[in-house]
Amino acid sequence: MNNASPQHLAALMFETRSQVRMTHVPYKGGALAINDLMGGNVDPLFAPLPEALPYFKSGKLSALALMSDKRSALVADMPTMREAGVPNMVMPTWIGLLAPAATPRALVDQLNRQVHAIAAKRGREEAAARHRHGHGAHYARAVPADHPPRRSRCMRNW
């Protein structure tokens, strides 16, 4: 993937922890990288589970390991990196709604409440759950105070 993308950082982490050297090939998106992997132009590829899952399920790609601390119910036979022999290779991806640091706290709290209210609306939550769990992602309710500790945990990996 592109320079400094989560996938690029995952590959760098793998190189550091496994002592395996790879050549970084930048891509402008996951679809192009997956196409080149299926075409035999590159191997291996670090890809987010939601992006690669349809290819695992169809048998077009083989999953080698998951960069999580535990297996996913969606691909229960896929080992974690630790189980595959590469310890300390956990890199969960999370997406947060961010605002400039100077945003008034009242506005941040209001936006947070509105986002959670939208996610909780009857029917949408259930439809989103079906979508998330079928594609490898899940919604984790969070508040602004959750982000600094989460960033700190992620930074310890590096």
Side-chain angles (χ1 to χ4, degrees):
M1 300 297 179
N2 223 339
N3 290 327
S5 68
Q7 296 83 354
H8 181 211
L9 297 175
L12 292 173
M13 181 186 286
F14 179 77
E15 281 190 10
T16 302
R17 307 232 164 110
S18 70
Q19 302 301 309
V20 171
R21 296 292 161 236
M22 297 184 290
T23 300
H24 173 61
V25 180
Y27 285 90
K28 291 185 178 179
L32 297 172
I34 288 173
N35 282 339
D36 268 4
L37 179 66
M38 290 191 304
N41 298 316
V42 296
D43 69 354
L45 174 67
F46 288 85
L49 185 57
E51 190 170 71
L53 191 59
Y55 301 98
F56 302 148
K57 287 185 172 185
S58 70
K60 293 179 180 177
L61 290 179
S62 295
L64 301 178
L66 190 64
M67 291 184 71
S68 178
D69 57 349
K70 60 184 177 186
R71 290 186 181 214
S72 167
L74 297 171
V75 281
D77 58 339
M78 184 191 311
T80 65
M81 286 292 237
R82 182 184 63 239
E83 291 171 327
V86 185
N88 201 18
M89 279 288 299
V90 175
M91 190 175 162
T93 301
W94 56 273
I95 298 171
L97 179 60
L98 307 175
T103 304
R105 181 59 189 219
L107 181 56
V108 169
D109 291 342
Q110 179 185 1
L111 286 169
N112 190 52
R113 284 191 303 275
Q114 289 175 337
V115 166
H116 292 304
I118 291 167
K121 283 193 177 179
R122 186 168 191 216
R124 286 189 181 168
E125 179 87 24
E126 292 171 4
R130 283 192 301 277
H131 176 75
R132 288 188 305 270
H133 297 297
H135 294 90
H138 68 277
Y139 173 74
R141 185 178 171 95
V143 296
D146 294 339
H147 289 281
R150 184 171 295 167
R151 283 192 308 267
S152 293
R153 283 192 306 275
C154 289
M155 293 305 292
R156 282 194 294 266
N157 278 329
W158 304 98

